[in-house]
Every structure is written in structure tokens, then in C-alpha cells.
Amino acid sequence: MEKLKYERPFLRKMSAGMMDKSGMPSDLIPVTHIDEVSVKSIITKYGSPVFVLSEKQIRHNYQAAIRAFNTRYPKVQFAWSYKTHYNNAICKIFHQEGSWAEVVSGFEYRKALQNGVPGNHIIFNGPDKHPAEIQLAVENDSLLHIDHFEELYILIEICSSLKKKARVAIRVNMDTGIYPMWDRFGFNFESGQALAAINKIAKSEHLSLTGLHAHIGTYMLSTQAYGVAATKLCELASECKKQYNIAIKYLDLGGGFPSANTLKGAIGFVPTPTVDEFAEVITNTILNFGFKSAELPLLILESGRVLIDDAGYLLGTVLANKKLSDGRKATIMDFGVNIMFTSFWYDHKISPAQEASQYTEETVLYGPLCMNIDIVREWVSLPLLNRGDHVVVHKVGAYNMTQWMQFIAMRPNIVLIDMQGNNHIIRKAENLEYLEQLEVVPEHLK
Ligand SMILES: *Cc1c(COP(=O)(O)O)cnc(C)c1O
């Protein structure tokens, strides 16, 4: 095993729970506005609960991320991870900024096409690509990232019947020192499976091996794991050159950078590396590997959560307070785990949305569902809240609006605040008509 590289230690100022001038812990300071738009006005106009996204924050995040890589490496491309948030308005912001699309299903693929992304700027990942979708992707000259041998054979068949050559990459899984390993996706590096796949591709007249891809996990807290991943992809690229005289055009390091959320069960303060720190490790690794300058690969990133989590808010309202049999206080909100999927792994920060009492109480925050697991926070310290009071839940921009479920309650409106502070509905609240439009009652039951 290779010796681990020395990583410079760094100190970071802790701000969690700090007091402000009034002696109020910063976590409890009311949040009355988002991008200068009042929370109350949004709820009055669009109802409660309601998701709000800040276009300003999204663009800021994207520009900071691309700068982190562009200032260190000459050829960088981001591809927006559709499954993180595939509302068209949101995708179009990323595409306007210059992002390609990274999709993991057929409907995401068609969404990207309909959003105007050129076929050759769509990366098609995932283990379940239907043959008809593979064909569509080949016809559109998209970048197919092969996940398993079965897919590789289907692809060769489709290309030979179309008499077309497809541009492909393989997804590679590997030991980066982070466990459990995500070895269910792609071809394994250490066992030689990845090289075996490369061998098959190199020998096929229908496939052109263009890139190498790894997505090592999500919410990764180790920059060094990306150094390992980049090194292993570089080593594979070098084998491609040596054994098959193939110059790999791009290395795709996937997504996985963490957002600044609080993971459940995190004890104390866990520092989250910044995009700059990831960029430093990844770009240094590739630049120092020894590619000829003409053959330096394009670096692709498929970041999702880090670019959008803190641009999303959920506004909600208190329905009731009650005492539990063991004496604990409980507060029932009008939003629950049905629309806040990420509450299963994050302790989301929640702020009162109006001037609040300085006295805090420990409370369990429940959602409105008639379902025992509907717990938004098992334990949170909040000022006294009464029925009708509003709260702001922070950092819910990633994965909630794609993983939300229609169970008992309908999905609410999504509102975008644009760069000028105007607000727009970008997805309407669902209603009974929407819910029933795909239902069919057989004749005998009418
Ligand atoms: C989900 C996913 C991403 C985005 O991951 P984040 O952790 O949100 O950055 C990127 N690439 C692939 C292949 C994915 O499945």
C-alpha cells in the first residue's frame, strides 16, 4: 500500500452557538427575510409550507466552484447533477452558467435535451439505461458512462445496428480509504475489472473510449480520497496510452463534495472541507502525474449538493404545541419528512421567522403526517413558538425536491427569488386533480 500523503493541518473558527450582541445564540436569531424578500409575504402569497430557492446563491455557489478549479487547472467543465434538483428553472440556471448535464435515468436524459442541452454535453450515468435510451444517447452523440459488462455488450450491439461509433467512458470504483466502498457502481480498479472493460472497449470498432469516471461517494469529508481517486484514474489513463495508444480526453471525478449541513450524530463540530481544498488536491494530483501538456485531460466535475443545498429554504408554520407523556415538549409543524427527505440524515438548522422570545425550550419537532416516523428534529432548542408562527428551515436545496414523496399530504409550491428580488413560482403545489389524473377506475366500480 502506498504511504499516505501528508496533509497540512488547519484551524477553523467555531461559530456554532456563538452569542450575538443581545446575548442570543446566533442559531436562534430570527430570519425574517430571504434575499431581502420577507418570509411573511412569501407565505401569504404562496401558502405554507413552501420551498424557496435563491438564484443569487445558486449562481454564487457555481461561480465560486468553477473559480476554485479554473484558477488551478486549464480545462474544467461542470455537469449539473439532475437528480440533485431537476426542476427545469433550476437546471437552466446551471446551464446558463455554462454547466453541462449529468443524468442517471431516461427521463432525466430527455429533460436535459428539452432544456436545450446539446446531446454532446449530456453525460449519461447510472446502472439502468434502457436500450431505447442508449440508442437515443448514441444518436445524440452523448457521453455514455458504462456501468457493467451487460451494458457494454448492449451498447456494442446497438452501435453495430446503427452503424455508429459511440463516445464512452467507464465508471470506475476503487478503494480510496473511505468505507463502505461504493463498489456496486462501475468496474473495480484494484481487481483489474476496469482494465478488462477498457480492453473490450479498445477492441470494439464501435466504441471510442473518451473518458474515465469515478463518483466515490456523497458528502465526502476527505479531500485525500479524491487525491487517491484522481491518481487511480490517471494510472488507468496511462495504461490506455501504453497498451492501446488511446489518449483519454477527460477525467470525471464525479460529485460528492459536502454542503455545510450538520450530519446527524456528528459529535461537536466537524469541519467540512471547502471546494477550494478539494480542487487543490484533485488538480495537483492530475497536474503532477506527468501527462504531456497536449494530452492533459479535461477535468469534469458533477457536483450536486454543494452547489445548491444552501440556496434552498423551507418555510413552514406551527400547527400546535403539546406535552408528551414523559414531559418533553413537542411542536407540530405543517411540513414533515414527506417533503424533507434529508431530515433522515441531517439536523437541519431551523430559525424562527419573526421576533422571538429570548427564552428557549427544548422540543421535539414533528411533521403533520399521521405516521410515527414523521420527525423533523428529535431535539432542538427553539424560542417559544405558538400556533401560526413561521419558521425557516435552512439548507434544503439538495435532494429534497426530487426525493419528496406524495404521502398523505401534497407537495407544496416551489418559489424562486431571482437576481432582482422578484419571485416566481417554478413548480405549482399539487392538488387532488393532479393526484388522480393517472388513476383509472374500472367500469364495474364506477
Ligand atoms: C448523485 C451523483 C452526483 C452528485 O452527487 P453530490 O454528492 O450531490 O455532489 C454526481 N455523479 C453521480 C454519478 C451521481 O450519482
Side-chain angles (χ1 to χ4, degrees):
M1 205 178 128
E2 245 183 33
K3 226 174 120 187
L4 290 178
K5 287 212 185 85
Y6 172 74
E7 228 186 321
R8 176 173 58 86
F10 53 90
L11 292 174
R12 198 189 294 266
K13 195 175 145 213
M14 272 182 64
S15 59
M18 295 275 280
M19 302 287 167
D20 78 338
K21 276 180 282 194
S22 64
M24 180 82 112
S26 59
D27 269 14
L28 300 179
I29 295 171
V31 172
T32 57
H33 289 74
I34 296 168
D35 286 2
E36 275 120 63
V37 181
S38 103
V39 166
K40 210 174 174 77
S41 74
I42 297 173
I43 289 179
T44 306
K45 197 161 168 193
Y46 301 104
S48 175
V50 56
F51 278 103
V52 175
L53 286 138
S54 160
E55 183 173 346
K56 201 186 268 180
Q57 191 64 40
I58 293 172
R59 290 189 190 272
H60 169 86
N61 291 347
Y62 178 83
Q63 287 161 12
I66 187 94
R67 198 180 315 119
F69 281 90
N70 265 342
T71 50
R72 295 177 166 92
Y73 195 83
K75 294 190 279 181
V76 181
Q77 180 62 53
F78 274 72
W80 174 239
S81 154
Y82 264 47
K83 77 172 187 293
T84 308
H85 198 135
Y86 44 57
N87 181 284
N88 288 341
I90 301 302
C91 295
K92 281 177 182 245
I93 296 173
F94 284 103
H95 299 322
Q96 258 186 15
E97 289 287 340
S99 214
W100 293 0
E102 184 274 326
V103 303
V104 290
S105 73
F107 93 77
E108 286 187 3
Y109 183 86
R110 285 188 292 274
K111 233 171 184 298
L113 277 184
Q114 283 168 23
N115 280 333
V117 183
N120 61 356
H121 289 173
I122 304 177
I123 295 170
F124 200 167
N125 280 318
D128 178 22
K129 306 179 191 80
H130 194 276
E133 294 154 5
I134 293 180
Q135 179 166 339
L136 185 64
V138 171
E139 285 165 349
N140 282 302
D141 197 26
S142 297
L143 300 160
L144 277 149
H145 287 189
I146 304 168
D147 187 80
H148 42 74
F149 283 110
E150 280 80 353
E151 191 172 83
L152 176 51
Y153 302 139
I154 293 169
L155 186 54
I156 292 174
E157 248 172 60
I158 289 173
C159 288
S160 76
S161 73
L162 287 178
K163 299 198 169 49
K164 251 199 105 159
K165 203 162 176 170
R167 294 190 305 152
V168 302
I170 55 164
R171 177 159 175 178
V172 182
N173 69 64
M174 56 185 71
D175 186 350
T176 60
I178 303 292
Y179 309 100
M181 246 165 84
W182 277 24
D183 56 359
R184 54 173 286 185
F185 302 111
F187 302 92
N188 184 253
F189 177 83
E190 287 80 12
S191 69
Q193 209 177 51
L195 264 181
I198 288 169
N199 180 53
K200 289 213 160 51
I201 295 170
K203 297 209 160 122
S204 164
E205 53 182 326
H206 298 293
L207 303 179
S208 143
L209 184 65
T210 312
L212 297 170
H213 171 230
H215 172 64
I216 57 176
T218 193
Y219 210 93
M220 304 295 286
L221 294 169
S222 158
T223 55
Q224 203 43 54
Y226 284 86
V228 175
T231 302
K232 290 183 175 175
L233 288 190
C234 288
E235 283 170 6
L236 274 185
S238 146
E239 284 304 308
C240 291
K241 185 77 193 169
K242 247 190 262 159
Q243 295 188 26
Y244 309 102
N245 198 29
I246 297 172
I248 291 294
K249 298 250 175 18
Y250 68 85
L251 299 181
D252 180 343
L253 268 292
F257 303 154
S259 61
N261 241 311
T262 309
L263 280 181
K264 269 195 175 157
I267 298 164
F269 181 73
V270 182
T272 311
T274 62
V275 177
D276 273 281
E277 289 162 337
F278 286 107
E280 182 72 13
V281 173
I282 292 170
T283 58
N284 277 343
T285 305
I286 303 174
L287 288 171
N288 295 334
F289 186 77
F291 288 102
K292 286 190 200 128
S293 66
E295 288 180 2
L296 196 65
L298 171 73
L299 171 58
I300 297 182
L301 286 314
E302 307 170 339
S303 295
R305 90 175 61 239
V306 73
L307 298 182
I308 197 161
D309 218 11
D310 66 353
Y313 303 83
L314 177 59
L315 315 184
T317 306
V318 175
L319 296 177
N321 286 307
K322 59 167 73 171
K323 270 256 182 284
L324 300 176
S325 59
D326 60 6
R328 281 179 305 155
K329 190 193 163 191
T331 303
I332 307 171
M333 308 302 303
D334 66 353
F335 58 87
V337 295
N338 53 324
I339 55 171
M340 248 181 86
F341 204 82
T342 56
S343 60
F344 289 123
W345 52 84
Y346 292 144
D347 280 336
H348 284 284
K349 177 181 163 183
I350 297 176
S351 311
Q354 54 279 304
E355 282 311 316
S357 145
Q358 298 216 2
Y359 298 102
T360 61
E361 283 189 307
E362 281 154 27
T363 180
V364 194
L365 269 198
Y366 288 121
L369 305 180
C370 209
M371 175 173 78
N372 201 35
I373 63 159
D374 190 21
I375 304 169
V376 173
R377 287 288 300 267
E378 276 114 21
W379 183 96
V380 64
S381 188
L382 279 174
L384 309 172
L385 292 170
N386 297 309
R387 178 174 169 84
D389 283 350
H390 302 310
V391 299
V392 176
V393 188
H394 300 264
K395 300 189 178 118
V396 295
Y399 295 103
N400 286 300
M401 283 155 268
T402 48
Q403 285 187 290
W404 51 0
M405 23 174 189
Q406 182 280 303
F407 175 63
I408 302 180
M410 302 279 175
R411 298 176 177 105
N413 283 312
I414 308 179
V415 172
L416 177 75
I417 302 179
D418 71 16
M419 304 299 284
Q420 283 74 43
N422 303 312
N423 40 52
H424 310 265
I425 241 182
I426 57 170
R427 191 176 192 274
K428 292 183 196 157
E430 293 171 358
N431 54 25
L432 187 58
E433 198 187 355
Y434 167 86
L435 182 66
E436 290 182 338
Q437 87 193 3
L438 298 177
E439 289 188 21
V440 183
V441 178
E443 241 356 274
H444 73 287
L445 296 174
K446 278 187 179 152

